[in-house]
Amino acid sequence: MSFLGEDIPPGAVGQQWEEAAKAIFVLRQHQNSRAITSHRTFMSAVRFVARCANGRALSAVTPEVLDAACELIKESTDSEAQQYKLCCMVAEFARQWCARYGLCHVDLSGYRFCNVERPDNYGGPSNFRLDSLAALETESSRVLSERSLALLGELYQKLPKDHVYRIYILLLIVLFCVGRRFSEVAYLPRRCIVRRADGNYLRYIQTKDAGVHESRDFLLVPIPSLTCNLLRDIIAEIKWSSRSNYAVAKEMLKRHGPDLRFLEGVAATKPLLQKDLLRIGLPGQCLSSTGWFAKNDRIKLCASKRGGRPHNYVLKQDVVEYCQRHYHSWLLAPLFVVDGRGYGLTDLLFLRQYGVSSGFYAHWIVQPISHSMLTTTLRYLDEITTEFCSSCFDQDFTSHDFRHTLNDALDRGGLSDLMQTEYFGRKYAADTKVYQHSSPQYRALQLRKKIKLGEVGGAIPDRAMNLPVDKREIYLNSEVRAVHDLGLGICLHVWSHGPCPRHLECASGCGKFSWLRGLEGESQAEQVAEAKRQICSNLLVLCNAFDDRVGEVGGVEPWVSHLFTKIKNLKQLLHETDEREADFDQYGSYWESIVPGAHKLDRIKIDKAYKYYLTHHGRYLSLVEVVHG
């Protein structure tokens, strides 16, 4: 670590500051393991103090020096949150390190910089109440407002179907309807809606986290029923308006070059004048002195019939070479390998004519819609809405904000984190948190409503339902202040008040652990499967301690009781999730079905451990009651 710099004096004084900073860094990490960002911020704060010391030794630091460092931080840092954090680090340096270890001659144990206030948006416990209307609001620039979505719908209805930007408006609506990434929508196949007995599905290719040459499969994701009809209409319009583009793509693949069918009726020796070139779709300035034909000496002169000024003209071969210059071999290269075959230009739903730098579109070449094309269109949205809509957009947004908006809507509607992760095609459930923009207060209020309706199981909901109605609200207000989705259940522990007392062993009898009752469909199936999997895992741990010589479980009884408690709670959760699973006992067979390549002995061990649980659960669970009683 290098602490010295131009603003730190060299020699013994600078060396003293550096050695002290290194020693404090080691002590901070040893006493309480912290993130590297915390250490980096702390070192930045110490550097500000060293700069304001003006060459004095560390032992000569006074409150005035610390105040000067904090003032310098306020001048040098734009973010209020970062200013507050650095000033807090200066106070920590003074009180916790200089005062405690006697590094300075002056007592700094009570130091605090008074000229800074904690920002409202700074992390930590907030000061607004759960019964405030602000708890129901979503404040995020990544979520589109209802007004923005209404304007997008107005554009869909009023923008002419032959407008040059119409295809991009349709693409934005598809992004909102299905919540896929931009590349997944831009590379949709033409047959992208699949109808099955259980509903309509979107057929797409997951483009993230895979190489170009890696083989991929088409994936299916359910289409929300409220958007299905709209999505069908949009896909039908895209196919109708892109008929000519699909034909060009097919011809490009056939010729391995540009589509030159528009020149088929033109004789090779016929002079092509300006009006002829405009009729076949070339730009208006192609015969100018700055155009490609002039720069490449392709323009010829022919005499006027009336003896006037000669006319400029080109031949068919000149036009062919002009069109060839826009073609690139990568346009026909496969984008992906899907189901063992190349997936490219002729398979795509969204195609666009090739655009050149002058703003002209070459109709003899098509290409996929790129993100830069959509970004350019978004810059012109204000002009489009001014012309065709009643008002303009009041927020800026990107293509990925539609994914945030749909994810947040499904989260507010009660879809579990695991289901959100599965639906949006993510690898890790932790990534889903980034897309949830409802406040913790909103989640707590929603859970309180479900508890009152008897839709939540667990220790706290059960106690609440046993209380008189007039006291139930008071109890829930004190106990349900934070909500954390665990996949299988819900944790109500307020992490800002302290670490988890059960060390994340939620199903081991934790009073803060709860779960949703009365689930249906895929949500119910997911929770049932996860409960069975965890029961199998705990039985497998239990059977590893089984002593074949005496026919009993060896080891420490409290540890075995702990496993019995987890299995009991998970079986209760399984029963309340689906009453049909209350008597399920084939855990060994279930483990083999969900774990590919599971050892056959695992099935025997799990079944043996479950029989032991049924025989001895009264003994071990009574031991738990005695210990906790």
Side-chain angles (χ1 to χ4, degrees), residues 91-145:
E92 178 193 338
F93 172 72
R95 295 198 303 260
Q96 189 169 342
W97 304 108
C98 294
R100 178 183 295 181
Y101 294 99
L103 301 180
C104 302
H105 298 313
V106 180
D107 182 16
L108 300 175
S109 57
Y111 175 76
R112 181 178 179 275
F113 182 61
C114 299
N115 197 21
V116 66
E117 296 181 357
R118 180 181 180 274
D120 293 335
N121 60 349
Y122 192 74
S126 62
N127 57 359
F128 73 85
R129 298 164 56 89
L130 287 180
D131 55 3
S132 169
L133 292 177
L136 302 177
E137 297 177 357
T138 297
E139 294 184 2
S140 174
S141 59
R142 304 308 304 268
V143 177
L144 272 73
S145 64

Side-chain angles (χ1 to χ4, degrees), residues 1 19-33 39 42-43 97:
M1 180 192 300
E19 293 299 328
K22 290 180 179 180
I24 293 173
F25 167 80
V26 174
L27 286 172
R28 283 182 99 237
Q29 181 64 20
H30 176 71
Q31 292 181 4
N32 187 7
S33 181
H39 292 308
F42 181 80
M43 288 298 156
W97 304 108

